[in-house]
Amino acid sequence: MSKALLSVVTGNTPMVRGKAVDGLLKLSATAVVPAVSICGENEGYPSVHRLLSGAGAPLDTAVSGAVTGSPAVVLRQDLLSLRRTVGSEHVILALPGSLDVLPFLVELWRARTGATSLADHYAAAPALVAVDPVTFMADIGRVHHAVRLWNGWNRTAPLTRAEAAARQVESADVLYVPAGEGVGDRHGSGVGCLVERVNGGALLVDSCSDGRHLMRPLPADFGEEWLGRLDPLVIPGSPHPAEHSVRSVRWRSRRPVHPQRLADALAVALRGVVRSRGHLWLCGRPDSVITWRSAGAHLELQEADRWLEPQETGAWQAATPQRRTLASWFWHDYYGERRNEIVFIGVGLDEQAIRCALDEALLTDHELAQGRAAWAAVPDPLLGSAAG
């Protein structure tokens, strides 16, 4: 039996997700559509609700109703069951906005020891994220209401609505903003340009009628590419020119950051910023990768990884080949892979002001010469004192 095509669709509203699914069904009239919702506010596994529809869907199937369990496990079994019993050549998996989509997809497709692999039966189509512009702009400004999303294993730590909205856009291979509601914003409000900047690697479309982009299977290494996007040291670029005052600024530096001066610089560095992502080398935590994420007016700094040491160390040998390759690109004989890199995306950004504010937060030559012992004594108003 040949492999079926598996399309994954999500959206920031049920209505815009439905438009995307309807567009795919026009391209593939016999496709089966499992539509998913997830309920569960407490600890433990949620209730995963599935409703099967589409011209190729049987009236009586086990892939309907509700079941309690890990969403990735439940839906993987559903998809394998559909392939065995229905045999449709195209399945459109419609996912809810309560999922952290990219880690969920990585887990959904992950090969499991002693279990049937999804890749044995399906080819992956581009992940399609549908965006309602009004809802996106409202969510990107909501930083006081926390949500927790389901990923491939459990629930995330509390996130702002703004962070959740940005992550959803960043999970896409294709971004769909309905015509007249955002992409025409190249001639209008600019929301289409903004989401295109937030995910510079995705294709932006205003219609789901072009099967060349949506019905073509992804390359064989799609899982590694998705996993790579989750690496805290991978900062996606944006090849698109500035439009409607929407632009991006990339700041890089190869010396440690003084945390107090960084705190003082934030008001300037984040002015007009809708989304920023990157990592820092803070002087008081010289061995730690500090991730930087902002969405709307909320900034989160978090100790997320360790900088790799020279190649003879165990940490280097234990790292993935992709991580070692990335470290090699940036390797410095003295600093190793340590560096700062942040991309800012927003409207009307002052590139010179951002760069100057952050450059002034770097250690001076005199401070740099004092060494790690002196750096560790620098007060850190952002993350507090480092342990040990």
Side-chain angles (χ1 to χ4, degrees):
M1 181 185 295
S2 62
K3 293 183 180 181
L5 186 68
L6 176 58
S7 297
V8 172
V9 181
T10 190
N12 62 347
T13 69
M15 182 174 294
V16 78
R17 183 186 77 166
K19 287 183 179 180
V21 171
D22 288 345
L24 285 178
L25 285 173
K26 290 179 181 177
L27 297 171
S28 182
T30 60
V32 173
V33 184
V36 181
S37 62
I38 298 176
C39 302
E41 297 297 327
N42 300 319
E43 299 301 324
Y45 288 130
S47 176
V48 183
H49 298 253
R50 304 100 77 223
L51 176 64
L52 200 65
S53 62
L59 294 177
D60 184 17
T61 177
V63 186
S64 292
V67 64
T68 298
S70 165
V73 173
V74 170
L75 295 177
R76 184 191 296 113
Q77 292 304 117
D78 284 351
L79 291 167
L80 293 173
S81 176
L82 275 175
R83 190 64 184 136
R84 288 192 300 267
T85 60
V86 179
S88 175
E89 293 303 310
H90 189 192
V91 175
I92 303 170
L93 182 61
L95 298 176
S98 54
L99 282 175
D100 195 5
V101 178
L102 197 53
F104 171 81
L105 289 179
V106 168
E107 177 64 11
L108 182 71
W109 282 92
R110 180 175 64 86
R112 301 166 67 87
T113 303
T116 303
S117 171
L118 205 60
D120 292 338
H121 299 275
Y122 288 95
L128 176 61
V129 175
V131 180
D132 174 80
V134 174
T135 301
F136 177 79
M137 293 308 296
D139 284 345
I140 206 69
R142 297 175 66 186
V143 298
H144 301 297
H145 180 205
V147 296
R148 296 180 68 187
L149 305 179
W150 291 98
N151 57 29
W153 307 272
N154 45 42
R155 297 173 76 195
T156 63
L159 305 171
T160 66
R161 285 281 185 188
E163 176 68 24
R167 287 193 188 197
Q168 186 181 62
V169 167
E170 289 166 349
S171 70
D173 296 310
V174 177
L175 285 164
Y176 163 57
V177 184
E181 300 181 36
V183 174
D185 301 334
R186 300 177 187 279
H187 315 287
S189 70
V191 178
C193 298
L194 182 58
V195 299
E196 188 177 35
R197 281 277 176 174
V198 170
N199 186 345
L203 175 70
L204 180 68
V205 300
D206 62 0
S207 168
C208 290
S209 62
D210 191 345
R212 292 177 302 166
H213 305 303
L214 299 175
M215 304 289 285
R216 180 183 299 161
L218 292 172
D221 63 348
F222 69 92
E224 294 181 6
E225 197 277 331
W226 285 344
L227 188 60
R229 291 190 224 167
L230 296 174
D231 191 305
L233 290 174
V234 173
I235 311 301
S238 179
H240 310 290
E243 296 185 65
H244 296 281
S245 299
V246 177
R247 64 180 306 178
S248 62
V249 174
R250 184 182 296 266
W251 175 75
R252 289 178 171 139
S253 177
R254 207 65 200 255
R255 65 170 62 196
V257 174
H258 189 291
Q260 180 61 64
R261 293 202 292 270
L262 176 61
D264 295 339
L266 292 180
V268 173
L270 292 175
R271 187 176 300 148
V273 173
V274 173
R275 178 62 161 168
S276 63
R277 288 180 58 190
H279 49 263
L280 294 172
W281 172 17
L282 285 182
C283 69
R285 299 167 187 262
D287 297 322
S288 299
V289 178
I290 308 299
T291 57
W292 166 302
R293 286 180 182 268
S294 79
H298 178 79
L299 171 65
E300 177 186 284
L301 301 178
Q302 190 172 35
E303 204 167 350
D305 206 341
R306 307 282 286 180
W307 298 111
L308 291 184
E309 297 300 338
Q311 299 184 12
E312 64 271 11
T313 65
W316 181 277
Q317 299 301 325
T320 64
Q322 294 84 356
R323 175 68 191 282
R324 292 198 296 267
T325 299
L326 183 63
S328 298
W329 289 345
F330 293 98
W331 198 260
H332 185 281
D333 287 342
Y334 185 72
Y335 297 137
E337 65 166 343
R338 292 174 178 83
R339 64 193 185 276
N340 304 293
E341 183 171 4
I342 307 171
V343 172
F344 300 87
I345 300 164
V347 178
L349 300 185
D350 187 332
E351 180 173 355
Q352 183 175 0
I354 291 173
R355 293 187 183 280
C356 288
L358 294 175
D359 286 345
E360 289 175 1
L362 298 172
L363 293 191
T364 64
D365 289 344
H366 174 70
E367 291 168 332
L368 196 62
Q370 292 178 352
R372 290 169 59 128
W375 306 347
V378 173
D380 186 344
L382 298 171
L383 294 176
S385 299

